[in-house]
Amino acid sequence: MELVQIAVYKSQLKEKFGIPRQSGLAPAVRGRIVFEPQFRDANALRGLDGFSHIWLIWGFSANHSTAWSPTVRPPRLGGNTAIGVFASRSPYRPNPLGLSSVKIERIVPDGPEGPEIQVLGADLMDGTPIYDVKPYVTYADSHPGAKSGFVDAKPWQSLQVVFAPGVPMPSEQDKEAIVQILEQDPRPQYQNDDRTYGLTYGSLNIRFTVNDSTLTVIAIEEK
């Protein structure tokens, strides 16, 4: 089977660090699905405006390791407990393919780069290759009462995000997305210390520290 890249995802998240670990966790994060030249046909999107969400099939393009392991250590379990790779959403898989459900914000049939889909809440990095787009349909894709294994047994504790005095505020739109990203604690789960971390969002370099359940943004600077 040969996979053909049909589009590329574009957003303000240019590095792996800070990418939401699941789609929908940072619903204010905006992104664009821009189609490759041979797929820039508005007819391919005909009828999609009747759907609120889509599935994206994409590639872990920033994962350069070709090795895989039958077990992984999910962040949800603190990075200390091993489970089977097929019971996880780890990027280190036999085939480096991702699946995400994202919200459609707007469909642009005639943008400067051809037709595009503007989406919210994706867990993808800028430049991620898209291999397929499929509509989300509630009668088949929604499963009320479904079980989520260790995810149900280990609720995620979001951080409280505060800004140190004097830190310049980004635009309200950017601030909302940045806060939602930071609330999910982008640090590797085996690191729990008072060091200063840096996260890139567009042209902004955001530096922060974490103490217990509070994340403090100590600086926001233009790169």
Side-chain angles (χ1 to χ4, degrees), residues 95-178:
N95 292 302
L97 295 175
L99 177 68
S100 298
S101 174
V102 299
K103 182 178 176 60
I104 297 173
E105 181 180 32
R106 183 184 176 209
I107 296 175
V108 181
D110 54 355
E113 298 177 273
E116 67 177 51
I117 308 171
Q118 297 176 1
V119 298
L120 299 171
D123 53 343
L124 281 65
M125 187 176 73
D126 179 70
T128 295
I130 305 293
Y131 296 117
D132 206 356
V133 175
K134 297 177 183 289
Y136 177 98
V137 292
T138 54
Y139 84 93
D141 295 341
S142 177
H143 302 280
K147 296 191 299 181
S148 299
F150 68 88
V151 179
D152 289 338
K154 188 74 172 180
W156 185 260
Q157 300 297 321
S158 298
L159 298 177
Q160 178 186 10
V161 177
V162 299
F163 292 81
V167 172
M169 290 293 103
S171 68
E172 282 301 316
Q173 179 175 306
D174 285 346
K175 180 182 176 182
E176 183 180 16
I178 290 167

Side-chain angles (χ1 to χ4, degrees), residues 2 92 116 148 171 179 210-211:
E2 180 182 355
Y92 300 101
E116 67 177 51
S148 299
S171 68
V179 168
V210 180
N211 183 15

Side-chain angles (χ1 to χ4, degrees), residues 43 130 168 201:
N43 288 316
I130 305 293
Y201 185 85

Side-chain angles (χ1 to χ4, degrees), residues 62-118:
N63 177 7
H64 302 298
S65 173
T66 57
W68 76 283
S69 169
T71 60
V72 296
R73 299 177 183 274
R76 191 67 166 254
L77 296 177
N80 299 315
T81 303
I83 66 168
V85 66
F86 298 129
S88 81
R89 298 193 178 188
S90 167
Y92 300 101
R93 321 184 69 79
N95 292 302
L97 295 175
L99 177 68
S100 298
S101 174
V102 299
K103 182 178 176 60
I104 297 173
E105 181 180 32
R106 183 184 176 209
I107 296 175
V108 181
D110 54 355
E113 298 177 273
E116 67 177 51
I117 308 171
Q118 297 176 1

